[in-house]
């Protein structure tokens, strides 16, 4: 697992909410029929209600590693250091916490701040000039990370593998290898997941606490959450992307050297979430919606306990079970 971090010591300071708004008000018009005259709607005009609503902020988060612009994530602009750490681990770029030496989060708010992170080539400068006003339409953050030399070499090797890629997304065997990684190194087949299966009461307790703690979702209805229980305390991480929410939880786990036995997601369980959970050697992953067939198959292969449809009174276990 993750070693105790070495110097320099990393800070755990999050950007204040006033700097990183997670929701903003927008004016809307709601058109609707009253239930009692819905069937006669051809004879009635719909009601129109104008009011402000809160919408979730979706920000562009650029990940810069040792000066290399590595990726851009669309995410909720909170706990971005945790997101970056979890993302690096999920990508296989770090394995131990001491490989991450430092980080800095910057909110790009004007043309000058954008230019400071634009590569200094003529073509890029011309492109930036044409896009400058367009970029200001977006909430944009840069997370600069400093990794040790071994990780830097790993990143350069990966960039060389991707250099010849053109056209759509992931192409060829390199793309397949990234999307469908070999996880045998992280297999938990020898772990008795049946004995550690989370009880229905335990999961319902977590669900209840999620419902009362997921403030951004209550405000906007547009974010997912990943949560875990530690010593009767719920730790919850929200994001517009369910995979980002899990990466934030993973980053928090690595940063604080926590042992996590069960994670509850408010979303369906896709293969990406299962892959991330296997990498971190999570015993149980639980969703409030269904898993995909591929997610269950991979979870069974590598020993991850999987459960879904966590509702107010029930849950369905898909792997880590014994049929009766």
């Amino acid at each position: 697992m993750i070693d105790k971090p070495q110097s320099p010591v990393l800070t755990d300071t999050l950007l204040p909410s006033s700097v990183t708004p997670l929701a903003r008000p927008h004016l809307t018009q709601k058109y609707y029929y009253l239930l009692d005259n819905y069937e006669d709607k051809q004879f009635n005009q719909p009601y129109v209600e104008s009011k402000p609503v809160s919408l979730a902020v979706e920000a562009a988060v650029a990940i810069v590693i040792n000066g290399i612009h590595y990726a851009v994530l669309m995410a909720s602009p909170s706990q971005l250091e945790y997101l970056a750490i979890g993302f690096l681990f999920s990508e296989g770029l770090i394995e131990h916490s001491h490989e991450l030496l430092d980080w800095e989060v910057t909110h790009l708010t004007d043309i000058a701040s954008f230019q400071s992170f634009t590569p200094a080539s003529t073509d890029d400068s011309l492109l930036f000039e044409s896009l400058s006003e367009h970029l200001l339409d977006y909430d944009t953050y840069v997370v600069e990370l400093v990794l040790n030399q071994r990780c830097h070499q790993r990143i350069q090797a990966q960039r060389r593998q991707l250099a010849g890629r053109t056209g759509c997304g992931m192409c060829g065997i390199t793309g397949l290898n990234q999307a469908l990684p070999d996880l045998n190194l992280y297999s938990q087949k020898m772990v008795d997941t049946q004995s550690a299966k989370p009880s229905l009461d335990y999961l319902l307790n977590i669900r209840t606490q999620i419902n009362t703690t997921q403030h951004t979702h209550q405000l906007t209805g547009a974010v997912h959450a990943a949560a875990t229980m530690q010593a009767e305390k719920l730790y919850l991480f929200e994001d517009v992307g369910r995979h980002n929410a899990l990466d934030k939880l993973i980053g928090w786990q690595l940063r604080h050297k926590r042992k996590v036995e069960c994670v509850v997601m408010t979303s369906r369980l896709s293969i990406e979430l299962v892959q991330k959970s296997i990498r971190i050697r999570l015993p149980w992953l639980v969703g409030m919606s269904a898993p995909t067939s591929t997610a269950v198959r991979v979870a069974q292969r590598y020993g991850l306990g999987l459960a879904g449809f966590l509702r107010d009174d029930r849950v369905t276990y898909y792997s880590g079970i014994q049929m009766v």
Side-chain angles (χ1 to χ4, degrees), residues 168-179:
C168 62
M170 292 189 174
C171 302
I173 192 64
T174 299
L176 282 173
N177 186 54
Q178 283 194 313

Side-chain angles (χ1 to χ4, degrees), residues 221-248:
V223 298
H224 293 292
T228 188
M229 190 78 75
Q230 299 272 302
E232 302 301 319
K233 181 179 179 181
L234 187 76
Y235 291 85
L236 183 141
F237 303 85
E238 287 187 295
D239 200 277
V240 290
R242 60 185 182 274
H243 52 285
N244 292 336
L246 183 55
D247 274 342
K248 288 178 179 180

Side-chain angles (χ1 to χ4, degrees), residues 281-296:
R281 293 186 172 91
L282 178 69
W284 279 90
L285 178 66
V286 180
M288 292 188 185
S289 295
T292 65
S293 173
T294 303
V296 173

Side-chain angles (χ1 to χ4, degrees), residues 50-67:
S50 298
K51 65 177 183 178
V53 299
S54 294
L55 300 181
V57 172
E58 186 176 15
V61 180
I63 306 296
V64 180
I65 307 173
N66 291 8

Side-chain angles (χ1 to χ4, degrees), residues 207-224:
R207 179 185 168 92
T208 299
Q209 293 197 44
I210 289 175
N211 289 342
T212 59
T213 308
Q214 202 182 356
H215 301 305
T216 305
H217 182 71
Q218 292 169 358
L219 193 62
T220 67
V223 298
H224 293 292

